[in-house]
Amino acid sequence: MAEIRIVSTTLVKPPAEPILNRVELTSSDLTFLLLGSIQKGLLFPKPNSSSLTLIQHLKTSFSHTLQIIFPLAGRLSTTQHQDNTISFFIDCNNAGAQFVHAIAENVTVSDILDPIYVPSIVDSFFPLTDIYSIHGDSNPLLGVQITELSDGIFMGCTINHAVADGSTFWNFMNAWSEISRGYDVNQISKPPVFQNWFRDKCPIRLPLSIINNASVEFIPPPLKERVFHFSKEKIAGLKAKANSEAGDGNGVFLSSLQLVLAHIWRGVIRNRALKPDQETIIQLQIGFRKRLHLDMQDGYFGNAIQSERVQLKAREVIEKGIGFVALQLNKRINGYTDENVREKVREKVDSWIKDPKIRTMTEIASSRMLLVSSSSRFNVYGNDFGWGKPKAVRSGPGNKFDGKVTVFPGLEQGSIDIHVCVLPQVLEAMRNDSEFMDAFTV
């Protein structure tokens, strides 16, 4: 497949001074310091406007979006303390976000969508690749790349994970698309929120040894990624099967996502050919914005997620059926109830501050692990920048390893897309697994 050509790379700054000088990083932010960035991109049909007009329009609306979500135009900064600790914050200095214009004139939309596996050229549609979050002191916290295809546009976006989770990522994209369509900066649907009770522990001091002794370098083995599309009808079939198998779980509401993830977990584990008694783990990222209701609004800027693990033996995942596996996911997720969520989140925050643990890719990557990121509830296909809605969403190379599972809503109402990144031989075995393949729509 053809190479891409970089036309220009510029730093874009907001048109006004920020209303805050700094934003402190919380424990949820700091845990991502040694990981790569969030990278998601949208594939669009080709606009009618000229290339020059399109790029200028997007650059201008990008600048105005940075006016309201101003920390993304800043840089990470630190304060070193006399007790050999260090604290991190965003210096809202308007240093600018990266804006890249690129052309892939021999690449078509069908070149991206038609192959069974996500083509490798998609990785080149994202800026700031191989930049770890801790490098946000000398690199932009946000970068976008507008790649013109022969019959379409790919908008790749990279955001430093120490300052944003998936909700903040899509809040930014939603705001940019609204401003691009003509919204005033004061009219966006989810204005950013920079203050709430979650930051009352800041600044958090980390031992310098955690930073100085950590290694961020990670070279994954050769991987392949495939998008599995679960239609509303196929999900209903999984639900019927789960209900017939659930046993003592009868009467428990199993969500569509829980069922789809249970099916993916079973398919991956079965085709990894693990020993029956090997422990396997699926790690979920549970957001708690909505669970905290008024204390943490949807527009909260930063990371507001906590990790929860479900651990089972390989034979349990494979032999006990989708109903059993989905029920285990359900129990873990439902551990965050309205009654206990404040106490549970606060408990985890306090525990982390006493004994901080910062993840690295080397620690996360494991043949026993699936790590689930993103959400089927994000507003992905509402991102109309003025020439129509996206045709597809894809993720970049950041934080990819054998076992990365990324969740997106499907294009059709009620459907879910699961992007699975594993070893090529595992994906090939899944492709030949009739029980697995029967549950999704090609």
Side-chain angles (χ1 to χ4, degrees):
M1 195 175 285
E3 299 280 325
I4 73 165
R5 174 169 58 89
I6 302 297
V7 177
S8 64
T9 300
T10 56
L11 282 177
V12 174
K13 300 181 180 182
E17 290 298 312
I19 60 173
L20 293 174
N21 293 327
R22 59 193 281 162
V23 175
E24 302 287 349
L25 297 193
T26 68
S27 58
S28 282
D29 300 322
L30 293 169
T31 191
F32 294 104
L33 265 180
L34 301 179
L35 297 183
S37 300
I38 300 177
Q39 294 185 310
K40 305 289 184 285
L42 297 170
L43 180 64
F44 292 90
K46 196 176 186 72
N48 292 325
S49 56
S50 70
S51 171
L52 186 62
T53 301
L54 170 73
I55 296 302
Q56 189 55 51
H57 171 75
L58 288 175
K59 191 179 290 187
T60 300
S61 58
F62 183 60
S63 171
H64 287 298
T65 309
L66 290 173
Q67 179 182 330
I68 53 174
I69 313 181
F70 55 85
L72 293 177
R75 297 290 184 270
L76 281 191
S77 191
T78 60
T79 302
Q80 292 199 24
H81 307 280
Q82 292 182 347
D83 59 352
N84 287 323
T85 61
I86 186 170
S87 53
F88 289 79
F89 62 94
I90 305 172
D91 181 1
C92 303
N93 58 8
N94 275 4
Q98 190 179 92
F99 187 98
V100 180
H101 174 206
I103 294 177
E105 53 193 12
N106 295 320
V107 179
T108 66
V109 168
S110 60
D111 287 334
I112 307 302
L113 297 183
D114 289 353
I116 292 174
Y117 303 125
V118 177
S120 59
I121 195 170
V122 170
D123 288 353
S124 64
F125 294 162
F126 293 87
L128 301 175
T129 297
D130 297 327
I131 302 296
Y132 290 85
S133 296
I134 199 168
H135 299 149
D137 57 345
S138 55
N139 291 278
L141 301 179
L142 165 67
V144 298
Q145 180 174 313
I146 312 301
T147 303
E148 298 185 69
L149 313 180
S150 65
D151 60 350
I153 293 286
F154 192 95
M155 297 180 66
C157 182
T158 299
I159 296 184
N160 187 301
H161 207 339
V163 307
D165 60 9
S167 291
T168 295
F169 179 99
W170 289 109
N171 285 348
F172 167 78
M173 292 295 285
N174 297 161
W176 185 14
S177 67
E178 289 175 346
I179 290 171
S180 180
R181 294 201 308 273
Y183 282 46
D184 184 84
V185 292
N186 297 314
Q187 296 176 321
I188 64 168
S189 54
K190 287 185 182 177
V193 177
F194 300 109
Q195 301 293 336
N196 64 68
W197 69 269
F198 190 56
R199 287 200 162 94
D200 66 0
K201 300 286 187 180
C202 296
I204 296 172
R205 296 187 179 193
L206 299 176
L208 267 172
S209 57
I210 289 182
I211 305 301
N212 293 339
N213 298 337
S215 173
V216 297
E217 297 304 321
F218 173 73
I219 302 176
L223 301 169
K224 288 284 188 182
E225 184 173 8
R226 181 168 180 174
V227 180
F228 294 100
H229 177 69
F230 292 83
S231 68
K232 188 175 181 179
E233 293 72 26
K234 290 290 187 179
I235 293 172
L238 290 178
K239 190 167 291 190
K241 185 178 181 182
N243 286 336
S244 68
E245 296 176 353
D248 62 359
N250 285 335
V252 174
F253 175 76
L254 298 173
S255 73
S256 296
L257 182 57
Q258 290 163 12
L259 291 161
V260 166
L261 290 179
H263 183 73
I264 290 289
W265 193 13
R266 297 184 72 234
V268 172
I269 295 305
R270 184 165 56 244
N271 290 290
R272 275 179 170 168
L274 300 180
K275 294 178 181 178
D277 285 329
Q278 275 190 275
E279 295 288 343
T280 71
I281 296 167
I282 187 166
Q283 183 163 304
L284 309 170
Q285 309 297 317
I286 299 178
F288 50 82
R289 282 173 175 80
K290 291 185 178 179
R291 289 177 170 87
L292 291 177
H293 301 294
L294 296 178
D295 290 308
M296 184 171 286
Q297 302 172 52
D298 283 354
Y300 171 73
F301 178 88
N303 288 277
I305 52 178
Q306 289 187 344
S307 295
E308 291 287 345
R309 291 184 170 194
V310 178
Q311 186 165 318
L312 297 171
K313 294 186 184 300
R315 59 177 171 76
E316 292 179 300
V317 175
I318 296 168
E319 296 171 6
K320 290 198 173 184
I322 189 173
F324 170 81
V325 175
L327 189 58
Q328 309 317 303
L329 300 179
N330 176 278
K331 289 176 181 176
R332 182 64 67 185
I333 294 168
N334 286 350
Y336 286 82
T337 65
D338 287 348
E339 291 75 23
N340 74 359
V341 66
R342 288 172 177 80
E343 181 182 347
K344 192 160 188 171
V345 170
R346 180 67 71 182
E347 231 172 59
K348 288 208 164 193
V349 168
D350 290 341
S351 174
W352 192 93
I353 291 173
K354 290 176 184 175
D355 183 21
K357 292 180 173 62
I358 300 181
R359 306 172 189 171
T360 66
M361 287 302 299
T362 302
E363 293 167 347
I364 291 174
S366 164
S367 62
R368 300 184 302 117
M369 166 88 83
L370 288 187
L371 188 148
V372 181
S373 69
S374 197
S375 170
S376 57
R377 295 182 178 180
F378 291 149
N379 180 12
V380 172
Y381 290 99
N383 286 292
D384 180 351
F385 284 79
W387 65 88
K389 294 184 177 182
K391 298 173 72 70
V393 58
R394 292 293 183 266
S395 53
N399 296 327
K400 291 287 178 65
F401 69 98
D402 176 20
K404 179 68 178 292
V405 175
T406 310
V407 180
F408 293 109
L411 187 57
E412 308 88 20
Q413 184 73 25
S415 64
I416 296 176
D417 286 345
I418 305 290
H419 296 213
V420 177
C421 181
V422 290
L423 297 175
Q425 60 267 31
V426 176
L427 269 185
E428 191 63 26
M430 291 166 68
R431 183 182 176 188
N432 296 319
D433 181 342
S434 58
E435 179 184 348
F436 176 75
M437 295 295 288
D438 185 56
F440 77 94
T441 306
V442 178

